[in-house]
């Protein structure tokens, strides 16, 4: 049997008074007003009295409402017993309109994803809302904000929903979110010190750093950048936080094993972690200053870039290396 794919977007059955909601005009009564559907409430019927269409005197109601038009409207009366919702256009402020547009667009995206998941796994849409979307609205303010987190770190959000949500539903939800809500990859970095005080130490360091880069893959490439000897930063970008941290950990392990075979040393100064855009810029500025200090009169200034070992030249990598 086909699942029921009809459901309101929010847990509350009726909107609150003074809330801005998105409506679609169904029909117009020239004498009384307009009959509308509340799109976020499973097309619940509402009514805009003619006196609530405009602050100005109306010459023609059709200049203010048109059948089929979708626009915000403000709730000013709710009768849950009779199921009546009265709305107003004239009481809307520009801020109400903007907030309603933003909320509706996010809610519509969430609803589309939830509906597709319900159809794919053959489950009633309201059941999915009860177990997933409505709890996320409560916890994150809007389910769309939770979906953004799921796109990059699904366990952080979905583990709190278990066991009500099956693995099949989780996998389908994650797949749809990542397809419909593309996000910027997470930037993950680790800071390491690599030294080698033996003959051909420069060569051994470069070989060890190449081993680190080789630990990456197409989905999670690893890059190494020289900051100031012996400090290097190892980075990757990925949509999967767990995978990114795991890959960087493996990269550091491979680098450590390689340099220790050559009687060198690797010390982890900062373990793999996600860095925000603000932190990333802060690190880049700090590393730029360190680069200036370490370059002396040569005036070399470099911001951190994902350019790989091309930046690890023999002369710079060899600073601080003592040849026996």
């Amino acid at each position: 049997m086909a699942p029921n794919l009809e459901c309101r977007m929010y847990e509350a059955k009726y909107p609150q008074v003074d809330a801005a909601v998105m409506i679609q005009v169904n029909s117009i009564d020239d004498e009384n007003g307009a009959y509308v559907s509340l799109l976020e409430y499973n097309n619940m019927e509402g009514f805009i009295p003619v006196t609530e269409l405009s602050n100005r005197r109306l010459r023609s109601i059709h200049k203010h409402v048109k059948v089929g038009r979708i626009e915000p409207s403000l709730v000013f009366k709710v009768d849950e017993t009779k199921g009546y919702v009265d709305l107003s256009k004239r009481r809307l402020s520009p801020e109400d309109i903007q907030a309603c547009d933003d909320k509706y667009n996010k809610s519509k995206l969430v609803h589309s994803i939830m509906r597709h998941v319900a159809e794919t796994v053959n489950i009633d849409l309201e059941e999915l809302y009860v177990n997933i979307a409505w709890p996320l609205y409560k916890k994150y303010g809007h389910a769309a904000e939770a979906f953004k987190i799921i796109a990059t770190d699904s366990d952080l959000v979905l583990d709190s929903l278990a066991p009500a949500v099956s693995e099949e539903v989780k996998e389908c939800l994650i797949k749809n979110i990542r397809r419909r809500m593309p996000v910027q990859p997470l930037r993950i970095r680790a800071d390491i010190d690599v030294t080698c005080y033996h003959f051909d130490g420069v060569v051994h360091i470069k070989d060890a750093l190449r081993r680190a880069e080789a630990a990456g893959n197409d989905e999670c490439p690893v890059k190494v950048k020289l900051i100031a000897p012996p400090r290097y930063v190892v980075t990757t970008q990925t949509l999967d936080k767990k995978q990114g941290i795991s890959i960087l950990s493996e990269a550091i392990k491979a680098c450590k094993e390689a340099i220790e075979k050559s009687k060198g040393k690797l010390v982890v100064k900062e373990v793999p972690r996600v860095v925000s855009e603000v932190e990333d810029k802060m690190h880049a500025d700090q590393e730029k200053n360190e680069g200036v200090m370490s370059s002396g009169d040569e005036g070399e200034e470099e911001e951190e870039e994902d350019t790989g070992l091309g930046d690890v030249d023999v002369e710079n990598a060899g600073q601080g290396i003592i040849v026996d």
Side-chain angles (χ1 to χ4, degrees):
M1 189 172 76
N4 179 13
L5 301 178
E6 300 299 323
C7 181
R8 62 190 181 277
M9 297 180 182
Y10 313 127
E11 186 171 11
K13 186 175 180 180
Y14 292 90
Q16 293 183 337
V17 172
D18 293 332
V21 297
M22 195 63 73
I23 59 94
Q24 183 171 29
V25 180
N26 294 330
S27 62
I28 298 172
D29 183 329
D30 291 343
E31 298 295 328
N32 297 307
Y35 293 92
V36 303
S37 294
L38 279 65
L39 300 182
E40 297 151 287
Y41 293 85
N42 200 22
N43 295 318
M44 176 187 297
E45 187 178 87
F47 182 69
I48 305 177
V50 67
T51 54
E52 294 294 332
L53 288 172
S54 175
N55 287 315
R56 299 178 181 180
R57 183 176 180 180
L58 296 182
R59 293 187 176 182
S60 172
I61 188 174
H62 295 275
K63 290 184 178 180
H64 297 273
V65 284
K66 294 185 182 298
V67 174
R69 177 184 289 173
I70 295 175
E71 58 186 323
S73 190
L74 193 76
V75 177
F76 74 88
K77 183 178 179 181
V78 176
D79 187 334
E80 296 187 14
T81 303
K82 297 181 179 179
Y84 293 159
V85 178
D86 290 338
L87 305 114
S88 171
K89 285 186 62 179
R90 70 178 183 85
R91 304 187 194 196
L92 274 174
S93 68
E95 293 75 21
D96 289 331
I97 294 172
Q98 183 61 54
C100 184
D101 282 337
D102 292 343
K103 182 180 180 182
Y104 176 68
N105 287 332
K106 292 196 295 184
S107 301
K108 185 169 65 171
L109 177 58
V110 169
H111 193 72
S112 176
I113 291 171
M114 295 292 289
R115 196 174 190 278
H116 191 269
V117 172
E119 190 173 19
T120 302
V121 300
N122 196 39
I123 189 171
D124 285 352
L125 180 57
E126 185 167 350
E127 183 178 340
L128 282 187
Y129 263 97
V130 168
N131 291 326
I132 299 176
W134 291 341
L136 295 181
Y137 271 103
K138 285 182 179 178
K139 186 172 182 178
Y140 293 90
H142 199 292
E145 301 305 317
F147 281 13
K148 291 178 184 177
I149 300 173
I150 291 173
T152 56
D153 191 3
S154 58
D155 290 345
L156 183 64
V157 176
L158 296 182
D159 281 355
S160 64
L161 302 177
V165 183
S166 69
E167 290 302 318
E168 180 187 14
V169 170
K170 287 182 182 180
E171 290 177 8
C172 187
L173 179 64
I174 294 168
K175 180 180 179 181
N176 276 272
I177 288 174
R178 289 178 177 171
R179 180 173 61 86
R180 297 288 303 279
M181 299 179 69
V183 295
Q184 291 296 323
L186 293 174
R187 185 174 177 84
I188 302 174
R189 65 175 278 159
D191 295 63
I192 59 176
D193 285 355
V194 185
T195 55
C196 185
Y197 299 105
H198 292 269
F199 185 72
D200 284 341
V202 172
V203 176
H204 296 315
I205 288 176
K206 292 192 71 174
D207 178 66
L209 297 177
R210 288 193 181 98
R211 297 288 184 88
E213 288 199 335
N217 55 44
D218 292 341
E219 294 182 356
C220 200
V222 174
K223 299 294 181 181
V224 179
K225 168 76 178 180
L226 171 65
I227 302 305
R231 182 62 51 84
Y232 296 85
V233 60
V234 188
T235 62
T236 189
Q237 293 191 41
T238 178
L239 295 176
D240 190 324
K241 175 184 174 183
K242 291 176 66 176
Q243 181 191 37
I245 291 177
S246 176
I247 290 289
L248 278 199
S249 298
E250 288 299 318
I252 293 171
K253 180 180 178 182
C255 185
K256 182 179 177 67
E257 290 176 351
I259 199 65
E260 287 182 349
K261 285 182 180 179
S262 302
K263 299 182 180 180
K265 185 177 181 181
L266 184 152
V267 177
V268 178
K269 307 303 290 187
E270 293 283 350
V271 298
R273 75 276 184 199
V274 175
V275 290
S276 65
E277 291 184 9
V278 174
E279 291 173 310
D280 210 24
K281 185 178 185 304
M282 180 184 68
H283 283 301
D285 291 341
Q286 180 181 352
E287 289 154 9
K288 177 180 178 180
N289 292 333
E290 290 177 356
V292 172
M293 292 176 63
S294 66
S295 62
D297 295 334
E298 295 176 5
E300 296 175 2
E301 296 186 11
E302 289 186 325
E303 292 187 1
E304 181 184 340
E305 299 177 356
D306 286 336
T307 51
L309 289 177
D311 289 321
V312 186
D313 59 76
V314 173
E315 291 183 5
N316 284 333
Q319 293 183 38
I321 296 175
I322 301 173
V323 179
D324 292 336

